[in-house]
Amino acid sequence: MSVIGEQIKKIRTEKGITQEQLGELIGVTTQAVSRWERGGTPDAELLPRISDVLGVSTDSLFGREEQSYSLALARRLCCMSQEDAFRYALNICWAIEIGLMRDLSIVDDFMGKLIDDSVSADSKRNDYFAKIIHDSGLSLMRISPDFKHFFLMQENGSGIGSHLSDFESLRRVFALFADEKLLRILFYIYSMPNMPIATSLISKKTGLSLGETDRYMKKICENNLAVQTIVATAEGEINTYSFRKESFAVPMLCFADEIAKKDLRPFLGCYDRKGKLI
């Protein structure tokens, strides 16, 4: 089968159009459509008509639309300010979340919900989540007006177990975050993401002694959750610590917060592994 024939069949089937209906809309016979889908290639002058009828670009008939769109998106993001690029990228993530529902009837209504920060009249008081779970993968998105993030994973059929570190290594990570004093420190230094913080201030804000603070900060830095800097002052050198922005702790804490929430407000959800919608 030719690429064009393969794409015509794929798009036609997705849209629920029969070969006969497509032929009538284009102005060719059913046999012509069947011939294309079995390996033939339509005449070049028919391609614009075929793309119009199927509601796709000509590039998509050659299987190039995804590559072209991805390239155009990357170039557009490169030309934006950093703040605008992140805002635009998040809107793209929301479009992905809606698209993975595979329901054209909801697209127009739901697309504006994130972009306009108009989840609901009381959205400032609630956390909203979108969940899409299919056999092919899953995506999760938090769409609270002031706290948004996105996660997408394509599954390989064998689960995630074989790709994770050994059990003991993971247990140590969870034990690290289970330490109440360490978590208290992380909460504080993560609330000051752009400022080095002295040990004495961390001690004061968390209620820990200076000795405890030093011991915990050493452990935190050893696990790459913060960065230590020595600052010279009139009284001598002091240790300061900064939030490590490239740490995986931030997404981990975000998702841990979603697990901990008792009053989740599901805004959009789809689950098809057992053929049901939630």
Side-chain angles (χ1 to χ4, degrees):
M1 183 182 294
S2 69
V3 172
I4 295 178
E6 193 173 293
Q7 288 295 99
I8 290 174
K9 182 177 181 179
K10 174 177 175 290
I11 298 166
R12 175 184 64 77
T13 304
E14 288 175 350
K15 293 181 178 292
I17 302 172
T18 66
Q19 289 183 338
E20 182 179 6
Q21 290 170 333
L22 182 59
E24 289 177 356
L25 292 169
I26 296 172
V28 299
T29 65
T30 303
Q31 289 75 18
V33 176
S34 176
R35 189 165 57 251
W36 301 338
E37 295 185 357
R38 286 185 287 109
T41 303
D43 293 336
E45 60 267 21
L46 287 175
L47 294 181
R49 177 63 180 163
I50 294 171
S51 64
D52 287 344
V53 168
L54 292 176
V56 297
S57 68
T58 304
D59 269 353
S60 69
L61 297 180
F62 290 91
R64 294 200 307 252
E65 185 176 60
E66 182 178 347
Q67 180 181 1
S68 299
Y69 177 78
S70 299
L71 183 61
L73 175 60
R75 286 174 173 166
R76 181 167 185 176
L77 289 169
C78 285
C79 296
M80 292 180 173
S81 68
Q82 189 175 58
E83 182 178 350
D84 288 344
F86 269 88
R87 185 183 299 111
Y88 185 71
L90 194 66
N91 289 337
I92 296 298
C93 292
W94 181 236
I96 292 171
E97 192 77 6
I98 297 301
L100 288 174
M101 285 288 292
R102 299 177 60 78
D103 184 352
L104 285 171
S105 67
I106 71 169
V107 171
D108 290 340
D109 180 51
F110 278 83
M111 269 306 296
K113 300 298 185 183
L114 173 75
I115 297 171
D116 299 331
D117 281 347
S118 56
V119 176
S120 74
D122 62 347
S123 60
K124 292 292 183 183
R125 299 192 298 273
N126 293 290
D127 289 319
Y128 290 85
F129 299 87
K131 300 180 181 181
I132 310 297
I133 305 175
H134 295 291
D135 288 334
S136 299
L138 62 91
S139 63
L140 306 169
M141 190 165 191
R142 191 166 185 166
I143 52 176
S144 308
D146 298 322
F147 194 38
K148 307 183 181 87
H149 55 257
F150 178 74
F151 173 79
L152 174 69
M153 183 177 74
Q154 182 179 7
E155 294 193 2
N156 58 15
S158 61
I160 66 171
S162 61
H163 301 280
L164 299 177
S165 297
D166 62 273
F167 177 85
E168 182 58 26
S169 296
L170 291 177
R171 188 200 64 77
R172 285 197 297 270
V173 171
F174 282 104
L176 186 71
F177 285 91
D179 188 313
E180 183 267 337
K181 293 179 180 179
L182 186 144
L183 194 59
R184 196 189 307 171
I185 292 174
L186 286 181
F187 264 59
Y188 176 62
I189 64 174
Y190 282 10
S191 71
M192 309 282 284
N194 300 310
M195 185 182 303
I197 310 169
T199 307
S200 57
L201 185 56
I202 297 173
S203 173
K204 178 181 178 181
K205 293 294 184 178
T206 59
L208 302 178
S209 69
L210 285 172
E212 277 187 307
T213 302
D214 277 330
R215 289 194 298 274
Y216 273 105
M217 289 312 304
K218 181 179 179 181
K219 183 185 295 187
I220 287 171
C221 290
E222 286 174 349
N223 285 276
N224 297 316
L225 302 177
V227 180
Q228 179 186 23
T229 305
I230 299 175
V231 178
T233 71
E235 290 75 30
E237 295 181 343
I238 62 171
N239 291 327
T240 65
Y241 300 91
S242 303
F243 161 67
R244 195 178 188 108
K245 295 185 178 181
E246 72 274 21
S247 168
F248 286 106
V250 172
M252 180 177 177
L253 289 171
C254 288
F255 290 118
D257 182 64
E258 292 172 17
I259 294 172
K261 290 287 184 182
K262 303 298 182 184
D263 57 346
L264 298 183
R265 296 289 297 270
F267 185 62
L268 180 70
C270 180
Y271 182 84
D272 76 346
R273 295 185 181 180
K274 293 184 179 178
K276 65 180 181 180
L277 182 71
I278 60 172

